[in-house]
Amino acid sequence: MTERITSLQNPQVKLWRGLNKSHAQRVESGLFLAEGEHMAGEAVKAQKARALLIEDSAREKFRTLADAAKGASVYYLADHVMAALCDAKTPQGVIAVCDMPGENALLPESASLLVALDGVQDPGNVGTVIRTMDAAGYHCLLMDDKTADPYGPKALRASMGGVFRIPVLRCADLPGQLRALAQDGYDIVAGDLHGEPFYQRRKAKDKLCVVIGNEGQGVSPAVFAESTLRLKLPMVGGAESLNAAVAGAIMMYDFLREKAGY
């Protein structure tokens, strides 16, 4: 199906405009927007695009992408309509409309390398964690209700398409979920200023979950109580702490090195 839209009053346009602006509207509709050539391309490649929105003036540029969007509706938008939908400062003329994963998704049975986000509020950090997980071969992301929405525009840009490959599970009771994982043989790894030196740690279990806490407060007491491996990254310079996503990336890659023998 293809359709041309020229009015901002079109009901579909009104729905799409709300998706970039409101987490509540994304949840209510079950949709999110993957904006820009790279993100829309990743959505189409992953067969996650329900619809493809293309600016009129960019029809030829994205003809191949439109042809590849099997099963997706294609809408050609007047330039001013596309501009109203875009969050990026320099719009690229294409957006994929995608289904949000269900809130009741289950942890994949084969998932052994996990990350949990505990009150991470910066969407850029959330997206960067997903991108790092995608690069390092981690299997699933757990997150509490206080963590920023991974399907908002800033988080999506930072994820660089990783959101289409990394399952994301919202946990109403993150401490309870981590407790269950520990009982199932996972190490629950948390940062701790008084913890074991990171590079002198004991070998982690084959299954583990790296916990990344809030940017200002760190890991919450309830989540910290469920940790089985408490580690301190070395801070030999003047800085007192690391960015949450950076600290998480260091830990993720060093556990990958440990397990894969790099």
Side-chain angles (χ1 to χ4, degrees):
M1 168 190 160
T2 60
E3 181 181 339
R4 184 169 185 266
I5 297 177
T6 60
S7 172
L8 293 174
Q9 301 308 311
N10 181 285
Q12 289 275 45
V13 172
K14 290 183 177 180
L15 168 65
W16 296 331
R17 289 187 79 173
L19 297 180
N20 267 347
K21 298 177 181 179
S22 168
H23 168 70
Q25 289 196 37
R26 290 192 289 273
V27 171
E28 181 180 349
S29 66
L31 300 171
F32 68 94
L33 300 184
E35 182 183 338
E37 184 172 4
H38 177 79
M39 287 298 297
E42 292 283 355
V44 169
K45 186 191 304 182
Q47 298 184 330
K48 299 293 178 67
R50 173 187 284 197
L52 199 61
L53 316 180
I54 299 174
E55 194 172 70
D56 258 342
S57 58
R59 283 189 183 223
E60 286 303 315
K61 180 178 180 180
F62 295 116
R63 183 176 297 278
T64 300
L65 185 62
D67 291 342
K70 304 298 183 184
S73 300
V74 178
Y75 296 87
Y76 294 104
L77 308 185
D79 291 8
H80 72 281
V81 176
M82 176 62 78
L85 298 180
C86 290
D87 178 78
K89 293 181 180 179
T90 54
Q92 297 177 21
V94 64
I95 298 172
V97 183
C98 306
D99 289 308
M100 287 180 65
E103 291 287 312
N104 297 318
L106 299 176
L107 184 71
E109 289 186 9
S110 60
S112 59
L113 296 175
L114 314 177
V115 173
L117 300 184
D118 177 26
V120 176
Q121 295 181 339
D122 184 339
N125 281 336
V126 173
T128 299
V129 167
I130 293 172
R131 181 179 182 179
T132 304
M133 292 177 66
D134 188 25
Y138 278 63
H139 303 131
C140 187
L141 177 68
L142 312 176
M143 57 196 305
D144 69 349
D145 291 335
K146 295 180 181 178
T147 291
D149 184 359
Y151 304 106
K154 185 176 178 181
L156 286 170
R157 284 195 295 271
S159 83
M160 290 297 289
V163 74
F164 295 115
R165 291 177 288 274
I166 300 296
V168 178
L169 277 62
R170 282 274 186 187
C171 302
D173 178 14
L174 183 59
Q177 178 67 65
L178 295 177
R179 187 180 314 122
L181 289 172
Q183 292 169 352
D184 193 34
Y186 284 77
D187 254 333
I188 309 302
V189 183
D192 179 10
L193 292 176
H194 305 289
E196 181 182 354
F198 183 76
Y199 294 109
Q200 299 172 32
R201 66 185 186 270
R202 66 165 170 81
K203 185 176 180 180
K205 295 177 181 178
D206 289 339
K207 299 190 294 185
L208 64 86
C209 180
V210 176
V211 179
I212 301 174
N214 174 269
E215 291 86 350
Q217 304 300 318
V219 177
S220 65
V223 167
F224 187 76
E226 305 302 333
S227 61
T228 62
L229 189 54
R230 299 170 179 179
L231 302 174
K232 178 183 179 180
L233 287 169
M235 306 294 290
V236 298
E240 295 181 356
S241 64
L242 287 171
N243 169 273
V246 171
I250 292 170
M251 291 193 287
M252 278 187 260
Y253 263 94
D254 205 61
F255 284 118
L256 173 65
R257 176 201 58 77
E258 179 182 272
K259 295 184 177 304
Y262 291 126

